[in-house]
Amino acid sequence: MTLYLAAAFESLERMRGLREWFHQNTRHQIVGTWLDEVGGSVTPDPAQWIVYAIRDLQELKTADGLVLDTFDTNTRGGREVEWGISLARMGLRMRVLVGPIRNVFHTLAQYHFETWDAAKEWFLNGASGSFHDRRS
């Protein structure tokens, strides 16, 4: 399964580590070239915003599922747009939220984990571990 990792740009280094964890421990392919951005610019050149937005939308479109990390916050809201698109995509196989529920749309996650440790356990062992299955 191909998963798109969505998070605040401030979480970039942590999310890179999580991508590596998925690569080493699961069969899931991770998409999201935002994870490969260099320079550490939290606010990229506005002339590049449309390039980043189109790229991220195309990558999200190829994914079977989305994993949203809500631990870090910012005022830009890109990950929330990606979450909204995942909700609108009929046929998306998996929507996972890791971290605090911060708005009403987060309650629509199929799976919610309070911590990455719990999420990792679930990804490793299927339906075991502490999670809320919201599909019912």
Side-chain angles (χ1 to χ4, degrees), residues 68-104:
L68 175 65
D69 175 290
T70 62
F71 287 106
D72 294 320
T73 61
N74 62 43
T75 59
R76 291 180 310 281
R79 71 171 178 201
E80 302 303 338
V81 172
E82 293 164 342
W83 182 251
I85 290 166
S86 81
L87 293 173
R89 267 194 63 200
M90 303 307 272
L92 192 69
R93 293 173 54 191
M94 181 186 298
R95 279 182 297 281
V96 177
L97 187 142
V98 183
I101 292 175
R102 297 190 181 278
N103 65 57
V104 296

Short mmCIF file of all heavy atoms in Angstrom, two decimals, residues 68-104:
data_model
loop_
_atom_site.label_atom_id
_atom_site.label_comp_id
_atom_site.label_asym_id
_atom_site.label_seq_id
_atom_site.Cartn_x
_atom_site.Cartn_y
_atom_site.Cartn_z
N LEU A 68 -1.77 11.25 8.85
CA LEU A 68 -1.66 12.64 9.29
C LEU A 68 -1.06 12.71 10.68
O LEU A 68 -1.59 12.10 11.62
CB LEU A 68 -3.04 13.30 9.29
CG LEU A 68 -3.13 14.72 9.83
CD1 LEU A 68 -2.35 15.69 8.95
CD2 LEU A 68 -4.58 15.16 9.95
N ASP A 69 0.03 13.44 10.81
CA ASP A 69 0.67 13.71 12.09
C ASP A 69 0.20 15.09 12.56
O ASP A 69 0.35 16.07 11.83
CB ASP A 69 2.19 13.69 11.89
CG ASP A 69 2.96 14.08 13.12
OD1 ASP A 69 2.91 15.27 13.51
OD2 ASP A 69 3.63 13.21 13.70
N THR A 70 -0.37 15.17 13.76
CA THR A 70 -0.90 16.44 14.25
C THR A 70 -0.14 17.00 15.46
O THR A 70 -0.64 17.89 16.14
CB THR A 70 -2.40 16.32 14.62
OG1 THR A 70 -2.52 15.37 15.69
CG2 THR A 70 -3.23 15.91 13.43
N PHE A 71 1.05 16.49 15.73
CA PHE A 71 1.75 16.92 16.93
C PHE A 71 2.21 18.37 16.87
O PHE A 71 1.98 19.13 17.80
CB PHE A 71 2.92 15.99 17.23
CG PHE A 71 2.48 14.66 17.75
CD1 PHE A 71 2.54 13.53 16.94
CD2 PHE A 71 1.96 14.53 19.02
CE1 PHE A 71 2.11 12.30 17.42
CE2 PHE A 71 1.53 13.30 19.51
CZ PHE A 71 1.61 12.19 18.70
N ASP A 72 2.87 18.77 15.81
CA ASP A 72 3.34 20.15 15.69
C ASP A 72 2.25 20.99 15.03
O ASP A 72 1.47 20.48 14.23
CB ASP A 72 4.63 20.22 14.87
CG ASP A 72 5.79 19.52 15.57
OD1 ASP A 72 5.90 19.67 16.81
OD2 ASP A 72 6.57 18.83 14.90
N THR A 73 2.21 22.26 15.34
CA THR A 73 1.20 23.14 14.77
C THR A 73 1.87 24.31 14.06
O THR A 73 3.02 24.65 14.33
CB THR A 73 0.24 23.68 15.84
OG1 THR A 73 0.99 24.44 16.78
CG2 THR A 73 -0.49 22.56 16.54
N ASN A 74 1.12 24.91 13.14
CA ASN A 74 1.54 26.13 12.48
C ASN A 74 0.28 26.82 11.96
O ASN A 74 -0.83 26.31 12.14
CB ASN A 74 2.56 25.86 11.36
CG ASN A 74 1.99 25.01 10.25
OD1 ASN A 74 0.86 25.19 9.80
ND2 ASN A 74 2.79 24.07 9.77
N THR A 75 0.45 27.95 11.31
CA THR A 75 -0.72 28.69 10.81
C THR A 75 -0.92 28.54 9.31
O THR A 75 -1.85 29.11 8.76
CB THR A 75 -0.59 30.19 11.14
OG1 THR A 75 0.61 30.69 10.54
CG2 THR A 75 -0.55 30.42 12.64
N ARG A 76 -0.07 27.76 8.64
CA ARG A 76 -0.18 27.65 7.18
C ARG A 76 -1.28 26.69 6.74
O ARG A 76 -1.95 26.93 5.76
CB ARG A 76 1.18 27.25 6.59
CG ARG A 76 2.20 28.37 6.72
CD ARG A 76 3.55 27.98 6.15
NE ARG A 76 4.04 26.70 6.63
CZ ARG A 76 4.62 26.51 7.80
NH1 ARG A 76 4.77 27.51 8.64
NH2 ARG A 76 5.06 25.32 8.16
N GLY A 77 -1.43 25.57 7.40
CA GLY A 77 -2.56 24.68 7.14
C GLY A 77 -2.46 23.73 5.97
O GLY A 77 -3.45 23.14 5.57
N GLY A 78 -1.28 23.55 5.40
CA GLY A 78 -1.15 22.64 4.26
C GLY A 78 -1.58 21.22 4.56
O GLY A 78 -2.29 20.59 3.78
N ARG A 79 -1.18 20.70 5.71
CA ARG A 79 -1.55 19.32 6.04
C ARG A 79 -3.06 19.18 6.21
O ARG A 79 -3.62 18.12 5.96
CB ARG A 79 -0.83 18.85 7.29
CG ARG A 79 -1.34 19.52 8.56
CD ARG A 79 -0.78 18.92 9.81
NE ARG A 79 -1.30 19.66 10.94
CZ ARG A 79 -0.74 19.67 12.11
NH1 ARG A 79 0.37 19.00 12.33
NH2 ARG A 79 -1.27 20.36 13.10
N GLU A 80 -3.72 20.25 6.65
CA GLU A 80 -5.18 20.20 6.82
C GLU A 80 -5.88 20.15 5.46
O GLU A 80 -6.91 19.49 5.32
CB GLU A 80 -5.67 21.37 7.65
CG GLU A 80 -5.05 21.47 9.03
CD GLU A 80 -5.24 20.22 9.90
OE1 GLU A 80 -6.16 19.41 9.66
OE2 GLU A 80 -4.44 20.06 10.84
N VAL A 81 -5.32 20.84 4.48
CA VAL A 81 -5.88 20.74 3.12
C VAL A 81 -5.70 19.32 2.61
O VAL A 81 -6.62 18.72 2.04
CB VAL A 81 -5.20 21.76 2.18
CG1 VAL A 81 -5.63 21.53 0.74
CG2 VAL A 81 -5.53 23.18 2.62
N GLU A 82 -4.52 18.74 2.83
CA GLU A 82 -4.29 17.36 2.39
C GLU A 82 -5.25 16.40 3.09
O GLU A 82 -5.78 15.48 2.46
CB GLU A 82 -2.83 16.98 2.67
CG GLU A 82 -1.86 17.76 1.81
CD GLU A 82 -0.43 17.73 2.29
OE1 GLU A 82 -0.16 17.39 3.47
OE2 GLU A 82 0.45 18.05 1.48
N TRP A 83 -5.50 16.63 4.36
CA TRP A 83 -6.47 15.80 5.09
C TRP A 83 -7.86 15.94 4.48
O TRP A 83 -8.56 14.95 4.26
CB TRP A 83 -6.49 16.19 6.57
CG TRP A 83 -7.42 15.37 7.41
CD1 TRP A 83 -8.59 15.77 7.96
CD2 TRP A 83 -7.24 14.00 7.78
NE1 TRP A 83 -9.17 14.74 8.66
CE2 TRP A 83 -8.36 13.64 8.56
CE3 TRP A 83 -6.27 13.05 7.53
CZ2 TRP A 83 -8.51 12.36 9.10
CZ3 TRP A 83 -6.43 11.77 8.07
CH2 TRP A 83 -7.54 11.45 8.84
N GLY A 84 -8.26 17.17 4.19
CA GLY A 84 -9.57 17.40 3.57
C GLY A 84 -9.69 16.71 2.23
O GLY A 84 -10.74 16.12 1.92
N ILE A 85 -8.65 16.76 1.44
CA ILE A 85 -8.68 16.08 0.14
C ILE A 85 -8.80 14.58 0.35
O ILE A 85 -9.55 13.91 -0.36
CB ILE A 85 -7.42 16.44 -0.67
CG1 ILE A 85 -7.51 17.90 -1.10
CG2 ILE A 85 -7.25 15.51 -1.87
CD1 ILE A 85 -6.21 18.46 -1.62
N SER A 86 -8.12 14.05 1.35
CA SER A 86 -8.24 12.60 1.61
C SER A 86 -9.67 12.23 2.01
O SER A 86 -10.15 11.16 1.66
CB SER A 86 -7.25 12.15 2.69
OG SER A 86 -7.72 12.42 4.00
N LEU A 87 -10.35 13.11 2.73
CA LEU A 87 -11.74 12.84 3.11
C LEU A 87 -12.66 12.86 1.90
O LEU A 87 -13.62 12.10 1.82
CB LEU A 87 -12.22 13.86 4.14
CG LEU A 87 -11.55 13.80 5.51
CD1 LEU A 87 -11.99 14.97 6.36
CD2 LEU A 87 -11.81 12.47 6.19
N ALA A 88 -12.36 13.72 0.94
CA ALA A 88 -13.20 13.84 -0.25
C ALA A 88 -12.93 12.74 -1.27
O ALA A 88 -13.78 12.49 -2.13
CB ALA A 88 -12.98 15.20 -0.90
N ARG A 89 -11.79 12.08 -1.16
CA ARG A 89 -11.44 11.05 -2.13
C ARG A 89 -12.17 9.76 -1.82
O ARG A 89 -11.84 9.05 -0.89
CB ARG A 89 -9.94 10.77 -2.09
CG ARG A 89 -9.17 11.57 -3.09
CD ARG A 89 -7.77 11.07 -3.27
NE ARG A 89 -7.72 9.72 -3.81
CZ ARG A 89 -6.66 8.94 -3.69
NH1 ARG A 89 -5.59 9.35 -3.07
NH2 ARG A 89 -6.67 7.73 -4.20
N MET A 90 -13.16 9.45 -2.61
CA MET A 90 -13.86 8.19 -2.44
C MET A 90 -12.90 7.07 -2.87
O MET A 90 -12.15 7.22 -3.81
CB MET A 90 -15.11 8.15 -3.30
CG MET A 90 -16.07 9.29 -3.01
SD MET A 90 -16.47 9.43 -1.27
CE MET A 90 -17.86 8.35 -1.17
N GLY A 91 -12.90 6.00 -2.15
CA GLY A 91 -12.04 4.88 -2.49
C GLY A 91 -10.67 4.92 -1.85
O GLY A 91 -9.91 3.97 -1.99
N LEU A 92 -10.33 5.99 -1.13
CA LEU A 92 -9.06 6.00 -0.41
C LEU A 92 -9.16 4.92 0.66
O LEU A 92 -10.11 4.90 1.45
CB LEU A 92 -8.82 7.37 0.22
CG LEU A 92 -7.41 7.60 0.76
CD1 LEU A 92 -6.41 7.68 -0.38
CD2 LEU A 92 -7.36 8.87 1.58
N ARG A 93 -8.21 4.03 0.69
CA ARG A 93 -8.32 2.83 1.52
C ARG A 93 -8.07 3.06 3.01
O ARG A 93 -8.56 2.31 3.85
CB ARG A 93 -7.37 1.76 1.00
CG ARG A 93 -7.78 1.27 -0.37
CD ARG A 93 -6.79 0.33 -1.00
NE ARG A 93 -6.46 -0.78 -0.14
CZ ARG A 93 -5.46 -1.62 -0.39
NH1 ARG A 93 -4.71 -1.46 -1.45
NH2 ARG A 93 -5.21 -2.62 0.44
N MET A 94 -7.28 4.08 3.34
CA MET A 94 -6.92 4.25 4.75
C MET A 94 -6.66 5.71 5.08
O MET A 94 -5.95 6.39 4.36
CB MET A 94 -5.66 3.43 5.06
CG MET A 94 -5.21 3.49 6.49
SD MET A 94 -3.62 2.64 6.77
CE MET A 94 -4.04 0.95 6.34
N ARG A 95 -7.26 6.18 6.18
CA ARG A 95 -6.97 7.50 6.74
C ARG A 95 -6.62 7.31 8.22
O ARG A 95 -7.46 6.89 9.00
CB ARG A 95 -8.17 8.44 6.59
CG ARG A 95 -8.28 9.07 5.22
CD ARG A 95 -9.46 10.02 5.13
NE ARG A 95 -10.75 9.37 5.32
CZ ARG A 95 -11.37 8.66 4.36
NH1 ARG A 95 -10.83 8.52 3.19
NH2 ARG A 95 -12.53 8.10 4.61
N VAL A 96 -5.38 7.63 8.54
CA VAL A 96 -4.86 7.42 9.90
C VAL A 96 -4.45 8.77 10.46
O VAL A 96 -3.79 9.56 9.77
CB VAL A 96 -3.63 6.49 9.87
CG1 VAL A 96 -3.04 6.33 11.26
CG2 VAL A 96 -4.00 5.13 9.27
N LEU A 97 -4.83 9.04 11.70
CA LEU A 97 -4.40 10.25 12.39
C LEU A 97 -3.57 9.84 13.58
O LEU A 97 -3.98 8.98 14.37
CB LEU A 97 -5.62 11.06 12.85
CG LEU A 97 -5.29 12.43 13.42
CD1 LEU A 97 -6.34 13.44 12.98
CD2 LEU A 97 -5.18 12.40 14.93
N VAL A 98 -2.38 10.44 13.71
CA VAL A 98 -1.50 10.19 14.85
C VAL A 98 -1.27 11.51 15.56
O VAL A 98 -0.76 12.46 14.96
CB VAL A 98 -0.16 9.58 14.40
CG1 VAL A 98 0.70 9.25 15.62
CG2 VAL A 98 -0.37 8.33 13.54
N GLY A 99 -1.70 11.57 16.81
CA GLY A 99 -1.56 12.79 17.59
C GLY A 99 -2.92 13.28 18.04
O GLY A 99 -3.93 12.59 17.91
N PRO A 100 -2.95 14.51 18.58
CA PRO A 100 -4.22 15.03 19.09
C PRO A 100 -5.22 15.35 17.98
O PRO A 100 -4.84 15.78 16.89
CB PRO A 100 -3.81 16.31 19.83
CG PRO A 100 -2.41 16.59 19.49
CD PRO A 100 -1.82 15.40 18.83
N ILE A 101 -6.48 15.12 18.29
CA ILE A 101 -7.56 15.55 17.39
C ILE A 101 -7.72 17.05 17.62
O ILE A 101 -8.02 17.49 18.72
CB ILE A 101 -8.86 14.78 17.69
CG1 ILE A 101 -8.68 13.32 17.29
CG2 ILE A 101 -10.05 15.42 16.98
CD1 ILE A 101 -9.84 12.42 17.64
N ARG A 102 -7.51 17.84 16.55
CA ARG A 102 -7.49 19.30 16.69
C ARG A 102 -8.70 19.98 16.07
O ARG A 102 -8.88 21.18 16.25
CB ARG A 102 -6.21 19.85 16.07
CG ARG A 102 -4.96 19.37 16.77
CD ARG A 102 -3.74 20.12 16.29
NE ARG A 102 -2.54 19.64 16.94
CZ ARG A 102 -2.13 20.03 18.15
NH1 ARG A 102 -2.83 20.89 18.84
NH2 ARG A 102 -1.01 19.55 18.65
N ASN A 103 -9.50 19.25 15.30
CA ASN A 103 -10.71 19.87 14.72
C ASN A 103 -11.73 18.78 14.41
O ASN A 103 -11.43 17.59 14.49
CB ASN A 103 -10.38 20.73 13.49
CG ASN A 103 -9.84 19.93 12.33
OD1 ASN A 103 -10.49 19.00 11.85
ND2 ASN A 103 -8.66 20.29 11.86
N VAL A 104 -12.93 19.18 14.06
CA VAL A 104 -14.02 18.22 13.86
C VAL A 104 -13.72 17.25 12.73
O VAL A 104 -14.15 16.10 12.77
CB VAL A 104 -15.38 18.92 13.60
CG1 VAL A 104 -15.79 19.72 14.82
CG2 VAL A 104 -15.36 19.78 12.37
#
